[in-house]
Amino acid sequence: MFKRYKNIGLASAFAAFVAAPLSATADDSVEVLHWWTSGGEAAALNVLKDNLESDGVSWNDMPVAGGGGEQAMTVLRARVTAGNAPTAVQMLGFDILDWAREGKLADLNDLARAENWDAVVPDALQGFAKHDGKWISAPVNVHSTNWVWANKAIFDELNLSTPRTWDQLVSALDKIQAAGYTAVAHGGQPWQEATIFDAVVMSTGGPAFYQRALIDLDDSALRSRTMRTVFERMAILRGYVDDNFSGRDWNLATAMVINKQAGVQFMGDWAKGEFINADKVPNRDFLCFRFPGTTQQVTFNADQFAMFAVSGDRQGAQAKLASAILDPSFQSAFNVVKGSVPARTDVSDGAFDACGKKGMAQLAAANNSGNLFGSFAHGHAAPAAVKNAGYDVITAHFNGEYDAAAAAEEFADAVADAK
Ligand code: GAL
């Protein structure tokens, strides 16, 4: 399907950059830590592995299972503490900046300049890819979290149209449940609950409220009536989840929608990678639409490969990896499989399916209209300490530990302590 694009400009810029390190003693391998272990994720990662291997770089895979990357970040901390950092690490938003502040990341400026990354990577991503004027990581995609993935056969059977408002959503879920299906496929892990929370905050409070509450971490927004409504709505959604949700991986929840056991999943567009991997086609087998009440907004997260400062003999292969990630043709091939959209603004949507085209158009429109916001659940709204403190409350409430009023209070307290 995809053939490595041999771009003369890229190749020559790149040759100049790697000439020195690729000596007789150069280590032509990269060790890459990531959490892409589901079927769709692994298929996407293979595009990158194959590209590099055809370029003479061998790939030492370091997968750490666990959607959202919490476990991967724990393993990474241990590796760096032991003085043994991988070449590159899949990473999200504020985590990248934290590692940069610790002085652990490489300086990719020569390569970035040669390949003109400044001109093609969206500003929203550059904010997390650069530190102190230096490029420190290579952005591979833009995902967004406010999507709904629906089984089309169930929607057809029950004559459901796409819900646009909260009330329409609840009415659709009632009908799906009454027909004997699990209405909401969900995996009970904190990051998955937080992913739904992103969408519910945006839908309930609107973009200005999302900004104040989850990005500015404004105490009065967090203690407002709106936040209580958010938790009330989270409890309503909890009522549509099956009994076996606890601890379920996100891709198994996606499989419930794929297999017509469940009506919808609220999940980022990595879920599309699972549908594609199962040979499902948008608008024939499944539907993708924005969470009701968030049709103009995009809550995004971008996977990047943070490049660690490595010894001179490993820098050549590291630069090849970074260059391969930013290659325009790779960005198309990878994101078609992954479910995300390119991390460059100059990649055509030609190869993308209907959901991918929609995602690209909506991302551009949201960016132009001031409706693009970092995902709280996926590390692009607030630093990891705040995110993790928030996870605990969102999950405890989802599991019935607090009512909505107590949860809103606990959430505001947790954020205040962590920020
Ligand atoms: C997200 C990541 C996605 C996907 C997902 C589930 O944080 O950005 O690429 O991997 O976790 O694993």
Side-chain angles (χ1 to χ4, degrees):
M1 158 194 90
F2 169 72
K3 293 274 175 291
R4 177 107 169 84
Y5 176 60
K6 294 288 177 199
N7 176 309
I8 302 303
L10 272 183
S12 51
F14 175 68
F17 184 70
V18 299
L22 281 183
S23 63
T25 57
D27 177 355
D28 274 351
S29 68
V30 288
E31 191 190 14
V32 184
L33 193 155
H34 63 88
W35 64 91
W36 283 337
T37 55
S38 78
E41 291 173 328
L45 193 62
N46 277 339
V47 179
L48 182 58
K49 281 187 198 168
D50 291 349
N51 276 4
L52 280 168
E53 280 171 0
S54 70
D55 240 359
V57 176
S58 59
W59 179 281
N60 295 330
D61 204 36
M62 229 206 138
V64 181
E70 259 186 294
Q71 291 86 333
M73 291 303 101
T74 307
V75 170
L76 172 63
R77 174 63 62 189
R79 283 285 304 262
V80 178
T81 306
N84 185 21
T87 314
V89 180
Q90 180 195 354
M91 218 181 268
L92 298 171
F94 280 90
D95 287 334
I96 304 171
L97 301 179
D98 283 348
W99 282 108
R101 271 190 289 271
E102 287 192 36
K104 299 293 185 196
L105 300 187
D107 176 354
L108 304 175
N109 267 3
D110 287 347
L111 178 65
R113 206 172 299 121
E115 298 186 349
N116 212 9
W117 294 1
D118 276 307
V120 292
V121 174
D123 289 348
L125 269 55
Q126 289 194 30
F128 295 108
K130 290 167 88 170
H131 176 68
D132 269 353
K134 275 187 269 177
W135 281 89
I136 46 176
S137 68
V140 65
N141 64 19
V142 187
H143 272 301
S144 58
T145 57
N146 56 323
W147 284 108
V148 184
W149 306 92
N151 181 291
K152 178 148 188 310
I154 294 180
F155 268 55
D156 288 349
E157 193 175 293
L158 304 177
N159 230 337
L160 299 174
S161 48
T162 305
R164 299 281 175 216
T165 63
W166 172 259
D167 289 343
Q168 288 172 7
L169 174 65
V170 169
S171 139
L173 296 178
D174 279 340
K175 288 181 186 142
I176 298 169
Q177 198 170 49
Y181 300 107
T182 296
V184 176
H186 176 65
Q189 295 171 347
W191 72 271
Q192 295 189 58
E193 275 121 35
T195 300
I196 303 179
F197 182 79
D198 273 3
V200 175
V201 171
M202 184 62 87
S203 173
T204 307
F209 180 79
Y210 185 97
Q211 169 78 36
R212 279 178 60 217
L214 297 187
I215 297 176
D216 302 341
L217 308 176
D218 176 292
D219 198 62
S220 65
L222 291 170
R223 294 185 195 280
S224 66
R225 180 70 184 87
T226 306
M227 210 56 182
R228 208 192 307 166
T229 308
V230 166
F231 280 103
E232 285 163 3
R233 289 181 167 186
M234 290 295 289
I236 290 170
L237 295 180
R238 166 70 183 83
Y240 295 108
V241 166
D242 69 318
D243 289 342
N244 299 319
F245 79 103
S246 196
R248 175 189 290 141
D249 287 332
W250 67 272
N251 52 313
L252 300 181
T254 311
M256 292 168 68
V257 178
I258 293 175
N259 299 332
K260 209 180 169 220
Q261 286 165 260
V264 303
Q265 181 184 23
F266 307 119
M267 188 45 68
D269 39 15
W270 46 90
K272 198 191 76 182
E274 299 304 300
F275 285 95
I276 302 301
N277 199 45
D279 291 328
K280 301 297 179 193
V281 176
N283 300 329
R284 185 192 76 185
D285 306 310
F286 68 98
L287 305 170
C288 55
F289 51 90
R290 294 288 171 181
F291 192 89
T294 72
T295 47
Q296 309 296 314
Q297 287 79 38
V298 171
T299 45
F300 82 97
N301 64 304
D303 290 302
Q304 306 209 26
F305 282 95
M307 299 293 164
F308 277 72
V310 290
S311 53
D313 60 331
R314 293 169 65 196
Q315 286 170 9
Q318 182 179 60
K320 279 195 173 190
L321 172 62
S323 180
I325 290 169
L326 266 295
D327 180 297
S329 143
F330 162 75
Q331 288 267 336
S332 175
F334 172 88
N335 286 300
V336 160
V337 180
K338 183 70 169 69
S340 37
V341 308
R344 301 176 59 114
T345 51
D346 59 349
V347 176
S348 148
D349 71 359
F352 287 79
D353 62 26
C355 295
K357 284 187 169 59
K358 196 194 280 193
M360 283 173 81
Q362 290 178 340
L363 178 70
N367 190 33
N368 290 336
S369 62
N371 276 302
L372 179 63
F373 297 89
S375 154
F376 180 82
H378 293 268
H380 284 72
V386 174
K387 177 186 85 170
N388 292 332
Y391 275 12
D392 290 347
V393 178
I394 295 165
T395 283
H397 165 262
F398 202 78
N399 286 293
E401 217 171 288
Y402 306 121
D403 65 15
E409 189 97 6
E410 290 285 337
F411 189 81
D413 290 349
V415 169
D417 286 350
K419 76 179 183 187

